[in-house]
């Protein structure tokens, strides 16, 4: 399993670093990068790439996006719609600093998840699209995406799982921030108050404080 591999490889990396074994550390980092990519953890995979360049400046590092594109190609050859969508999401995460590229990957993932009938997956795609548009200061576009995410998720969020309630509360918070930026005072207050209530319900103190600071 990728999770177990990450734990073992991190321990091996720490040992190699302690022993000042740069070759061993580089090998561990290559393996860790691959494991993080399989998990869809693009940020940690990118950190591995940076560390590889430090421990072995002349090493040829396969880019994260190239590895993810290989995964996408394999999924396309297999006709696996869900795997294609996951690869697209991972590619979007890996290219989030190239906002237009990330948005294209998220939109493709959303279309695929629509085909697969995965309403929660579609909601998550809209959330990611909203986050990118929010970073672009496209508040109207971000609000549209967050509201679509809320609509897709609204029948599923209250199942007794704190993580799902927190997810829904985060969507409400993000929508509230967009309403504030667009000077929709009443709608902003409504979304932020509901987000605060839910965060207090699941004892999410940092999230509640975030709401109170708006």
């Amino acid at each position: 399993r990728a999770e177990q591999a990450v734990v073992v490889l991190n321990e091996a990396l720490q040992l190699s670093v302690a022993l000042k074994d740069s070759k061993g550390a580089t090998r561990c980092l290559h393996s860790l990068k691959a494991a993080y990519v399989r998990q869809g953890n693009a940020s940690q995979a990118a950190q591995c790439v940076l560390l590889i360049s430090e421990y072995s400046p002349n090493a040829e590092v396969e880019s994260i996006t190239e590895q993810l594109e290989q995964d996408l190609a394999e999924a396309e050859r297999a006709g696996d719609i869900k795997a294609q969508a996951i690869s697209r999401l991972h590619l979007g995460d890996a290219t989030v600093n190239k906002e237009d590229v990330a948005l294209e990957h998220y939109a493709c993932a959303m279309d695929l998840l629509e085909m697969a009938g995965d309403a929660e997956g579609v909601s998550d795609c809209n959330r990611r699209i909203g986050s990118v548009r929010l970073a672009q200061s496209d508040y109207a576009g971000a609000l549209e995406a967050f509201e679509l995410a809320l609509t897709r998720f609204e029948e599923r969020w209250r199942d007794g799982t704190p993580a799902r309630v927190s997810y829904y509360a985060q969507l409400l918070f993000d929508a509230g921030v967009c309403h504030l930026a667009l000077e929709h005072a009443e709608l902003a207050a409504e979304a932020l108050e509901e987000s605060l209530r839910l965060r207090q319900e699941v004892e999410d103190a940092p999230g509640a404080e975030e709401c109170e600071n708006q």
Side-chain angles (χ1 to χ4, degrees):
R1 292 171 59 84
E3 293 84 358
Q4 293 172 329
V6 165
V7 172
V8 172
L9 288 166
N10 267 312
E11 290 175 353
L13 173 61
Q14 292 174 17
L15 180 60
S16 295
V17 171
L19 295 173
K20 297 183 179 180
D21 178 4
S22 60
K23 289 184 179 179
T26 300
R27 286 195 295 270
C28 290
L29 285 165
H30 275 289
S31 297
L32 263 175
K33 177 175 74 72
Y36 281 129
V37 167
R38 295 299 178 189
Q39 283 185 328
N41 193 333
S43 61
Q44 287 295 333
Q47 184 63 30
C48 288
V49 171
L50 292 175
L51 289 172
I52 289 169
S53 66
E54 291 180 15
Y55 284 109
S56 185
N58 298 321
E60 292 185 7
V61 180
E62 179 188 30
S63 76
I64 295 166
T65 53
E66 285 176 356
Q67 189 166 345
L68 290 171
E69 283 165 357
Q70 289 176 13
D71 291 343
L72 175 60
E74 290 175 9
E76 288 174 339
R77 283 193 293 271
D80 188 333
I81 292 175
K82 198 67 177 288
Q84 290 176 52
I86 291 170
S87 293
R88 287 286 188 180
L89 285 173
H90 293 173
L91 279 163
D93 292 344
T95 58
V96 73
N97 291 330
K98 299 177 181 178
E99 293 162 345
D100 291 339
V101 176
L103 286 172
E104 182 178 345
H105 284 304
Y106 292 148
C108 288
M110 185 163 59
D111 289 343
L112 290 163
L113 291 167
E114 285 273 19
M115 291 171 59
D118 185 346
E120 288 188 28
V122 172
S123 174
D124 194 49
C125 289
N126 277 306
R127 179 189 62 80
R128 295 176 195 226
I129 289 169
S131 295
V132 174
R133 288 179 175 167
L134 187 59
Q136 293 176 319
S137 299
D138 176 8
Y139 300 113
L143 179 59
E144 179 184 9
F146 290 136
E147 288 186 334
L148 284 169
L150 284 163
T151 300
R152 288 286 188 167
F153 202 65
E154 64 183 355
E155 296 178 358
R156 298 169 172 80
W157 66 273
R158 184 169 283 288
D159 66 349
T161 305
R164 291 164 73 88
V165 176
S166 293
Y167 177 87
Y168 192 75
Q170 182 64 50
L171 289 174
L172 285 167
F173 176 82
D174 291 335
V177 168
C178 293
H179 280 305
L180 276 176
L182 295 167
E183 300 182 356
H184 303 160
E186 291 184 10
L187 292 171
E190 182 181 332
L192 292 170
E193 285 171 8
E194 180 64 5
S195 179
L196 173 60
R197 185 184 70 78
L198 293 174
R199 285 172 161 176
Q200 289 174 334
E201 180 181 306
V202 295
E203 299 181 351
D204 177 5
E209 184 179 356
E210 184 179 40
C211 290
E212 290 167 344
N213 288 336
Q214 287 298 315

